[in-house]
Amino acid sequence: MKYYKALFVLSLVLILLIPLTAGCSADVSSTDGYWPTEGWKTSTPEAQGMDSAKINEMFNYIKLSKLDIHSILIVRNGYLVTEGYFYPYRKEYRHILNSATKSITSALVVLALENGFIKSIDQKVVDIFPGMEIKNLDDRKKNMTIRHLLTMTAGLEWSETGAYGAPYDSNTQMWAGENQLQYLLDKPMKEEPGKSFYYNSGASHALSAIVQKTTGRASLEYATERIFKPLGISGISWGTDKQGINSGSSRIFMKPEDLAKYGLLYLNKGKWEDKQLIPEKWVEESTRKQIDTPNGLAGRHGYGYQWWQNRFGGYSARGFAGQYLFVVPEHNLVAVFTSGLASDKFYAPEELMEDYIIRATKATQALNENKAAYDELTNTLASLNKAPAPAPAAALPEIAGQISGNTYVMDNKETYSFEFNDGNECIMHWFCDGVMYDVKIGLDGIYRENAMDAFYWKGMTTKAAFRGAWTDADTFAVDLVPLEDCNTYRQEFRFNGSKLNAKMMQVLNRAVTTDTNGTVKE
């Protein structure tokens, strides 16, 4: 009787275990010694315990919702399981990180500390710049430390609500000035340092200034040697302020697949191959909640040392218009989003992570192969980056022939000249900020890609896509898409005899960046 009772219990246990083990194989939580230094190894989602169908649902939702997502990469267990780029953005192009840059600046602080250039993160900021004459220097400002900059609890008077470009925005004012660090340190104190969180990109920029001051090397140079080169990352562009200091708060341009490497470095607690690139203790300390952020500009669930807390666990780097690097240790997961999202859609990547990517993460073991779902996902990803079919060539208005070849000299010193040879494509010769751009513009609904030298700053070449159409008999409109940026632009050219009005609008915030008049050059 005892034998049959024991057999019954054993059978019951086995029955209960079947749902847990069906379709599963060995644990896949390690990469078995592989590192993506030379490039990512790919895997099906199912081989890494993820559901292709759920991931595909996400991409279908994005298309249906018309979210301006530029790329999504998902890494599980060190393998690239999903990589999608939305037309006209492409894998080989970098993308601006905006404030996700801050989470890279954070690592440079501890490297300077580790090398003895910084004494402690409790070192007083004003003591690092002894030669500077700092305004509004009271005891509170004298007690402001590197830690306060890292946690954005500096206590300075500062207004930064995401309205970048607005005259009242402190970050805009800082970058419009001649000395960005001086502007920050001159600001009056609002409260004691460490009392409360307030988003302050100037504080992040000061961290880069501290790295450069103490190490004697530019942040880009220091990061390249200590982080980027060991990870196999190259081709980084990182803008500077007017004093030559790399922006600690933004302006890094990096390929999405390289940003994913940085996330994997943190997922592995700062270790890459056989080297501890970032101290493990710093990774743990900098990515856990150091301060509450009830009114955080980019998150409400807490802030570490330039890292945000996710509402579903883990942490993230976040930048204006929806640049995200998610690291979720609980699921051995890294995800990258690049975007051009308006402020009311900023949290869409976090919602997509929670509703689709986290839910697609089913097990630590491999799932049964699902060829049909994986093939459907593969087809979806291929379709995202595919250009639409060319539209039939439209008849050009009469004025196109009249203005073709004319050069218009504008009040703002720019010049424009257009060549309309057929209904499929035109060429615009655009002289702007001392550079002549000879760009092709698609008239058939297809973007034409062009190299743009010094579009952001001297010495940096980027790619931009152009397409245009005549919206009425006298108005030619052009969509300008910098392929490494979050912003897109709308150019409108209104012709009236020998006169031209040219407007350029930033689509994301509907700000008019150019509104100028000109006449035909005699």
Side-chain angles (χ1 to χ4, degrees):
M1 187 69 178
K2 289 182 180 180
Y3 169 79
Y4 289 107
K5 185 175 181 181
L7 185 61
F8 172 79
V9 172
L10 178 61
S11 300
L12 181 61
V13 169
L14 291 173
I15 290 170
L16 291 172
L17 283 174
I18 287 173
L20 299 177
T21 58
C24 299
S25 59
D27 191 291
V28 292
S29 61
S30 72
T31 56
D32 299 324
Y34 138 73
W35 292 88
T37 309
E38 301 301 323
W40 288 98
K41 286 186 178 181
T42 60
S43 169
T44 66
E46 279 71 23
Q48 305 306 322
M50 298 188 74
D51 180 7
S52 291
K54 193 65 180 178
I55 296 172
N56 195 47
E57 278 184 37
M58 175 181 68
F59 285 102
N60 289 331
Y61 172 80
I62 291 169
K63 289 191 291 183
L64 185 65
S65 303
K66 297 182 179 179
L67 290 172
D68 190 9
I69 304 288
H70 300 168
S71 71
I72 300 176
L73 284 75
I74 304 172
V75 175
R76 181 106 199 272
N77 305 321
Y79 290 89
L80 185 62
V81 299
T82 301
E83 183 177 24
Y85 298 87
F86 294 74
Y87 177 79
Y89 302 92
R90 299 224 304 259
K91 174 186 176 73
E92 58 265 35
Y93 295 152
R94 301 167 299 185
H95 200 283
I96 194 166
L97 303 189
N98 291 330
S99 287
T101 297
K102 294 176 170 71
S103 302
I104 294 175
T105 302
S106 171
L108 300 185
V109 173
V110 74
L111 295 180
L113 177 64
E114 187 180 43
N115 289 157
F117 297 117
I118 294 173
K119 298 175 184 177
S120 160
I121 63 170
D122 293 314
Q123 188 173 350
K124 305 289 196 302
V125 174
V126 296
D127 292 346
I128 298 172
F129 304 100
M132 287 185 69
E133 293 185 9
I134 299 172
K135 297 178 181 178
N136 303 302
L137 187 59
D138 59 14
D139 288 341
R140 294 176 298 179
K141 187 177 288 188
K142 289 177 182 178
N143 288 325
M144 184 173 63
T145 66
I146 295 173
R147 186 189 300 273
H148 296 137
L149 299 180
L150 285 165
T151 56
M152 293 198 183
T153 58
L156 293 163
E157 286 277 3
W158 194 263
S159 176
E160 188 171 354
T161 61
Y164 298 113
Y168 56 81
D169 178 72
S170 296
N171 189 62
T172 301
Q173 293 174 4
M174 179 180 73
W175 285 102
E178 291 302 313
N179 188 315
Q180 284 63 50
L181 178 64
Q182 188 76 57
Y183 176 88
L184 174 83
L185 295 182
D186 281 348
K187 295 292 286 183
M189 297 297 292
K190 178 183 178 181
E191 62 187 21
E192 288 287 342
K195 183 178 179 180
S196 62
F197 174 92
Y198 189 83
Y199 194 78
N200 185 332
S201 291
S204 305
H205 185 57
L207 292 172
S208 180
I210 289 169
V211 169
Q212 181 159 324
K213 173 71 173 178
T214 57
T215 66
R217 303 171 69 185
S219 292
L220 175 56
E221 180 188 358
Y222 198 47
T224 298
E225 178 192 325
R226 298 297 304 275
I227 300 174
F228 297 150
K229 190 174 180 180
L231 268 57
I233 296 174
S234 60
I236 301 293
S237 285
W238 192 349
T240 66
D241 69 7
K242 294 175 183 177
Q243 313 305 312
I245 300 169
N246 289 114
S247 170
S249 61
S250 61
R251 300 192 178 189
I252 285 183
F253 288 77
M254 174 188 285
K255 289 182 181 179
E257 63 179 349
D258 288 336
L259 183 58
K261 288 183 181 181
Y262 188 68
L264 185 64
L265 172 66
Y266 266 73
L267 183 65
N268 283 286
K269 299 182 179 180
K271 187 176 181 180
W272 194 266
E273 296 182 345
D274 60 346
K275 295 180 180 178
Q276 192 72 40
L277 299 183
I278 300 171
E280 181 176 342
K281 183 179 179 182
W282 178 265
V283 172
E284 294 174 350
E285 186 176 342
S286 65
T287 60
R288 65 177 172 84
K289 186 168 74 170
Q290 298 287 340
I291 188 76
D292 289 325
T293 57
N295 299 304
L297 180 60
R300 301 288 191 269
H301 304 281
Y303 199 67
Y305 296 157
Q306 308 285 288
W307 287 93
W308 295 93
Q309 300 295 294
N310 302 326
R311 67 190 190 192
F312 47 79
Y315 49 91
S316 52
R318 305 182 178 198
F320 175 74
Q323 321 318 314
Y324 281 79
L325 167 61
F326 293 102
V327 182
V328 190
E330 178 186 354
H331 297 297
N332 211 28
L333 186 67
V334 172
V336 169
F337 286 73
T338 62
S339 316
L341 297 168
S343 58
D344 63 336
K345 300 294 183 183
F346 175 78
Y347 290 107
E350 188 171 29
E351 294 164 359
L352 293 169
M353 275 292 295
E354 185 170 28
D355 294 344
Y356 294 97
I357 296 176
I358 297 296
R359 292 182 182 179
T361 308
K362 300 293 187 181
T364 58
Q365 296 83 19
L367 304 177
N368 277 342
E369 180 183 358
N370 188 340
K371 187 176 185 303
Y374 179 65
D375 287 348
E376 189 172 350
L377 173 61
T378 301
N379 291 335
T380 296
L381 295 175
S383 70
L384 296 177
N385 200 236
K386 188 177 180 180
L396 294 174
E398 182 179 350
I399 198 170
Q402 297 170 359
I403 61 99
S404 189
N406 291 343
T407 297
Y408 292 85
V409 180
M410 314 305 291
D411 294 340
N412 66 351
K413 309 302 181 184
E414 294 183 5
T415 67
Y416 293 95
S417 178
F418 299 87
E419 296 178 30
F420 289 95
N421 298 317
D422 58 40
N424 292 314
E425 185 176 279
C426 83
I427 298 175
M428 176 173 68
H429 306 284
W430 174 22
F431 182 78
C432 176
D433 293 332
V435 181
M436 176 63 80
Y437 300 116
D438 301 308
V439 298
K440 295 179 179 180
I441 302 173
L443 304 180
D444 54 2
I446 307 299
Y447 285 107
R448 304 297 195 268
E449 293 185 13
N450 299 269
M452 305 285 283
D453 293 327
F455 188 76
Y456 295 104
W457 56 76
K458 189 175 181 180
M460 177 183 171
T461 299
T462 189
K463 294 281 188 177
F466 292 76
R467 67 182 178 189
W470 287 91
T471 57
D472 60 41
D474 303 311
T475 305
F476 182 56
V478 176
D479 294 321
L480 191 173
V481 180
L483 294 172
E484 299 185 320
D485 200 354
C486 60
N487 290 303
T488 59
Y489 299 87
R490 177 81 167 181
Q491 295 175 297
E492 289 187 350
F493 303 96
R494 296 182 183 275
F495 299 91
N496 182 9
S498 63
K499 298 179 180 180
L500 170 65
N501 172 256
K503 286 184 180 178
M504 186 167 173
M505 182 181 72
Q506 193 179 78
V507 175
L508 197 59
N509 59 11
R510 305 195 65 80
V512 175
T513 60
T514 302
D515 188 352
T516 185
N517 295 299
T519 57
V520 173
K521 181 180 179 181
E522 297 296 336

